[in-house]
Every structure is written in C-alpha cells, then in structure tokens.
Amino acid sequence: MMNTSAHTARLERSATPRGAEIAVLTIDHPPQNLFDAPLWESLIEHIAALEQAPPRAVLVRAEGPVVCGGADVAVFGGLDSAGATRLWRDLYDRIVAPLEVLPCPVVFAAHALTLTAAVEVALACDLIVAHPQAQFGFVETVVALTPSMGGIQRLAARAGAGRARKMVLTGELYDAATLYDWGVIDVIADDTDRAAHALTERLADGGTQAHAATKTIVRAWSSSGVAAADAITPRVAGALFDTVDTQEAIRSFRDVGPGKARFTGC
C-alpha cells in the first residue's frame, strides 16, 4: 500500500482480492475537518494524483467524530467579490469537476455530520453511503452565503429543484433516511466504512470502462438533457465492444453463464 504525505488528507492505494486497484481518499483534519486552505490544497493535490493515475474505483471518507463541520469562516476574511469568484472557480475546477469526471466509480462515505463543502464533494461522487444517524446540511445561510462549488445544482439533479431550494434556503439539517427517500443517498448502513469499502471493491472488480461509459452518458444528460445523452450513447456504448473486458465477458457468458467473468479494466 502506498501513502502520499499530507497533513489534512491522505491518499492510499491498495488492491481488491481480485487484483483491482482502489484508492481511498481520507479527510483527516481534526477536530472538525473544517474546510480551509490546508484541507482544500491537500484535496487538490490528491485528486490531481487520481487524475494522473486513475484506479478502478475510489472511496472518499473522513476520520473523526464528524465528516465535516463546515467551512472555516476565517478563510472569508478580506475577500471581495472578485476574490471570492476566483476562489470558488478554482475550488470547483480543481476539486469538484475532476472528481466528478474520474473514469471510474467514486463512492462517498458519510459516517456522521456532513456540512457545506463536504456535501458538495459528496454530490460530485457517484454513490453516497451514509450512517443512519448522519445528518447533512447546507448552512451557508448563517453567514449570508450560498453553496458555491456546484452543490445546489447537483442536489437539484438528485432530489428536485424544490427540495434543493428548501434545504439551502432554510439551512436545516436533514437525516440520512430523508435524503435516501429523496434519491440523494444510495445506501444506509450502520457500519458505514465497511459497507462503503465493500461497495468500492465490488465496483472496482467490475467492467471499469463500462462504468466510465455510464458516467459519460449520465453527465451528458445532466448538462444538456435526454437528446444530448441520446446523441452520444451509440458511440460511447459501441466503443465498449473494442475492449478486452466486454469481449471476454461475452465469451464467458456464452461458455459458462452469467456472473463468472473476471474483469481487468482493459
């Protein structure tokens, strides 16, 4: 296993029993994992490393009693509108966007309270696993701000515009069960870390290029609607027939039945 050095987050790579590489990106910035310059610089560094050498699945998680207690408001001191615009654009471009377009599944584990920027990072991931007692909130309204890294629109895409407006405008906290009913959270598990690791390994062992194709089609729909997704689906899905995994899986299905193929990511 390889560790990269960082004070506020760490990136670890390992392999599933079947040999598929996974990466675990852990936020570890006690006591509350507040989103501040050291944390976001660490996340930027590690996400850039994932871009340069993508594994076959990624898990984003946190240590400590909370996933994230929100942003450190000290980072807002002295900002004017131009500076804030540059900051939010930089954080979106270097954290949310590259995490969202990684060519592999990305799972987010929320074991406890998850606020503001951490919710935005979670919504950039493909699947969210949460503890039953975890709570989520966009509480930027307490300092007369609004989520600025793409969280509102990604929440609206999952839960609907009305629910996104209510969650952000009121600043109220929502439990895992409610967000599961809304389609924001995908799995609720008491042993959140174990469930999230198991899901990450399962996805890593699958057809990685097929997963990437799925993400590409969903992203096209999210940005431009059904017609845009329809326009690219034949090409994106058709390209899978040139991959080793698809050809070998079809052969395995014919020879020994479904569910027996082993994927290499190629």
Side-chain angles (χ1 to χ4, degrees), residues 185-236:
I185 288 170
D186 302 284
V187 177
I188 296 178
D190 288 312
D191 194 337
T192 311
D193 237 22
R194 181 185 293 273
H197 273 89
L199 178 58
T200 303
E201 291 195 357
R202 173 186 170 189
L203 294 169
D205 285 332
T208 306
Q209 294 195 56
H211 291 329
T214 298
K215 292 181 64 167
T216 297
I217 293 167
V218 171
R219 199 159 54 247
W221 168 81
S222 295
S223 63
S224 303
V226 171
D230 286 346
I232 69 164
T233 295
R235 171 180 56 80
V236 172

Side-chain angles (χ1 to χ4, degrees), residues 15-131:
T16 71
R18 289 190 171 193
E21 185 184 54
I22 65 170
V24 179
L25 177 56
T26 300
I27 298 169
D28 190 5
H29 189 27
Q32 291 188 307
N33 293 326
L34 292 183
F35 204 76
D36 59 10
L39 177 54
W40 72 56
E41 288 167 3
S42 184
L43 291 174
I44 287 169
E45 173 191 348
H46 293 315
I47 291 170
L50 291 171
E51 286 185 284
Q52 293 168 6
R56 291 179 60 192
V58 175
L59 171 61
V60 183
R61 58 179 298 278
E63 293 283 2
V66 301
V67 174
C68 179
D72 183 349
V73 296
V75 305
F76 303 139
L79 280 179
D80 60 12
S81 61
T85 299
R86 287 192 298 270
L87 173 62
W88 297 130
R89 173 56 61 188
D90 188 57
L91 295 179
Y92 173 80
D93 287 345
R94 300 174 71 189
I95 294 178
V96 171
L99 187 65
E100 191 168 49
V101 302
L102 283 174
C104 63
V106 183
V107 176
F108 190 95
H111 67 279
L113 181 67
T114 306
L115 298 180
T116 65
V119 183
E120 298 192 272
V121 172
L123 290 167
C125 299
D126 298 303
L127 298 171
I128 301 173
V129 180
H131 189 274

